[in-house]
Amino acid sequence: MSKYYLNYLDELESEAIFILREVWAQFQNPVILFSGGKDSILVTHLAKKAFYPSKIPFPLLHIDTGHNFPETIQFRNDLIKELGAELIVGSVQKSIDDGRVAEEKGKNATRNALQITTLLDAIEENKIDCAIGGGRRDEEKARAKERFFSHRDDFGQWDPKNQRPELWNLLNGKHFEGEHFRAFPISNWTEMDVWNYILRENIKIPSLYIAHQRKVVWRNDSWIPVSEHLKLEEGEEIVTKKIRFRTLGDITITGGIESDADTLEKIVAEVAAMKQTERGNRTDDKRSETAMEDRKKQGYF
């Protein structure tokens, strides 16, 4: 890796740490949105650096759909214990049981969109005024419209045409009662930047990102992992493949790719040759051309 690129990672790190410290300076009750995916792990690592030698001064918020990879939950619990951080959990199952949302039906049913209500309820119940996310502008075209400080109205909704300008590193977090912000400290990072930084910092990641043998089914042009939530359709066959996941969501919607990348160095090399976005294997993003933006406008991550 070139000296130039190491310096570039340092610049990205400094920018992200600046934004995290701005969040702490401007907001009363921020949280980190933690999914157990590489981007939220990276944001948590940067927050640890930003406030060292003190502990991370705000909680981590996980919206638990009940359809998580078991490895993700175990990783989350281990990390929280290691950091000594506070964890807030919002339960989609509880939202369903309370009649706040209705379970989707059918072969491609997911709980992905149901997270919106659970997230907004958790923000209101815990009086959260800023939720820090790991969204990056290169992930998806809707994410490319985000600012570092992304305003949400008192219904938790996002209006991409009504965001505040951010000039000369001036970030405006002022808001009325009931409104809140999302903050995206790694907006300018690419997937390649993330993996190079994880390699450089030797950051722990879930084993799901490393190529391994797993039982899967070919569906929607992706290898969908077999789980208790997967209902086989006629003609579908369970096979064992050596795969890894480029992005983590619910086990029901996250597709894997065939891969031999079983080390961080091999992952970096593999990502460098990729021509498809990492979210190309997420079935929730294949529902329509504007699937992500539609969810974000309602209050999604």
Side-chain angles (χ1 to χ4, degrees):
M1 192 182 299
S2 71
K3 182 179 179 181
Y4 169 79
Y5 202 84
L6 284 174
N7 288 337
Y8 179 59
L9 288 178
D10 290 337
E11 290 181 10
L12 287 173
E13 178 190 74
S14 295
E15 179 183 65
I17 286 175
F18 167 77
I19 293 163
L20 285 163
R21 289 172 175 168
E22 278 293 300
V23 168
W24 183 239
Q26 293 196 39
F27 296 96
Q28 298 297 314
N29 195 25
V31 297
I32 292 176
L33 294 173
F34 189 83
S35 66
K38 68 182 184 307
D39 297 320
S40 64
I41 293 168
L42 173 58
V43 169
T44 304
H45 177 83
L46 290 164
K48 182 180 176 181
K49 274 196 164 188
F51 300 102
Y52 182 83
S54 298
K55 292 181 179 180
I56 297 174
F58 33 74
L60 277 60
L61 170 62
H62 180 217
I63 302 304
D64 183 358
T65 64
H67 288 175
N68 300 283
F69 286 89
E71 297 95 324
T72 303
I73 297 299
Q74 185 61 56
F75 185 91
R76 179 201 72 182
N77 294 341
D78 291 344
L79 182 62
I80 290 295
K81 184 177 180 180
E82 177 186 327
L83 294 173
E86 179 186 352
L87 175 66
I88 300 171
V89 178
S91 169
V92 171
Q93 184 61 56
K94 184 177 185 301
S95 297
I96 294 171
D97 294 342
D98 291 347
R100 297 280 292 144
V101 293
E103 187 92 68
E104 287 187 3
K105 306 295 182 183
K107 181 178 75 171
N108 295 315
T110 81
R111 289 186 170 185
N112 197 37
L114 307 189
Q115 297 179 80
I116 296 171
T117 298
T118 308
L119 171 61
L120 295 179
D121 285 348
I123 286 173
E124 183 176 359
E125 290 167 10
N126 293 279
K127 296 181 171 55
I128 294 164
D129 53 3
C130 184
I132 306 163
R136 307 188 328 268
R137 292 180 180 132
D138 77 316
E139 283 183 277
E140 205 274 342
K141 55 192 175 184
R143 294 215 191 275
K145 299 178 182 180
E146 289 281 19
R147 303 287 201 269
F148 286 122
F149 277 16
S150 182
H151 177 262
R152 298 298 197 268
D153 65 20
D154 52 355
F155 292 102
Q157 296 174 327
W158 173 63
D159 180 1
K161 296 180 180 179
N162 189 29
Q163 296 297 310
R164 297 168 183 178
E166 295 180 342
L167 307 173
W168 307 292
N169 289 332
L170 297 177
L171 305 176
N172 182 358
K174 292 183 178 179
H175 58 284
F176 293 108
E177 184 72 25
E179 299 175 344
H180 73 278
F181 273 77
R182 308 286 169 83
F184 300 102
I186 62 170
S187 283
N188 286 333
W189 297 53
T190 65
E191 183 186 12
M192 192 69 184
D193 297 330
V194 170
W195 282 114
N196 273 312
Y197 188 80
I198 288 173
L199 175 61
R200 188 184 85 169
E201 300 282 304
N202 195 27
I203 300 172
K204 293 179 184 177
I205 55 171
S207 59
L208 297 163
Y209 285 111
I210 308 295
H212 59 287
Q213 295 290 332
R214 194 177 194 107
K215 291 182 179 179
V216 290
V217 169
W218 184 251
R219 180 184 291 180
N220 292 331
D221 298 322
S222 297
W223 290 112
I224 302 298
V226 174
S227 72
E228 60 182 308
H229 308 293
L230 181 70
K231 297 179 180 179
L232 288 179
E233 296 294 311
E234 185 177 350
E236 290 184 333
E237 178 185 2
I238 297 175
V239 296
T240 300
K241 294 281 184 178
K242 189 175 183 181
I243 64 166
R244 74 176 193 87
F245 299 92
R246 291 176 70 191
T247 178
L248 298 184
D250 273 6
I251 197 169
T252 58
I253 60 173
T254 304
I257 60 171
E258 291 189 70
S259 173
D260 290 316
D262 53 8
T263 66
L264 288 177
E265 289 82 1
K266 289 180 181 180
I267 290 175
V268 168
E270 183 180 82
V271 170
M274 287 289 183
K275 295 182 179 179
Q276 184 185 41
T277 175
E278 66 197 275
R279 293 189 68 93
N281 290 84
R282 290 282 293 267
T283 60
D284 52 325
D285 287 350
K286 296 179 181 181
R287 291 191 169 190
S288 74
E289 283 291 318
T290 60
M292 170 66 83
E293 183 158 337
D294 292 342
R295 294 197 305 273
K296 284 177 67 63
K297 286 179 178 179
Q298 297 173 50
Y300 188 71
F301 310 113

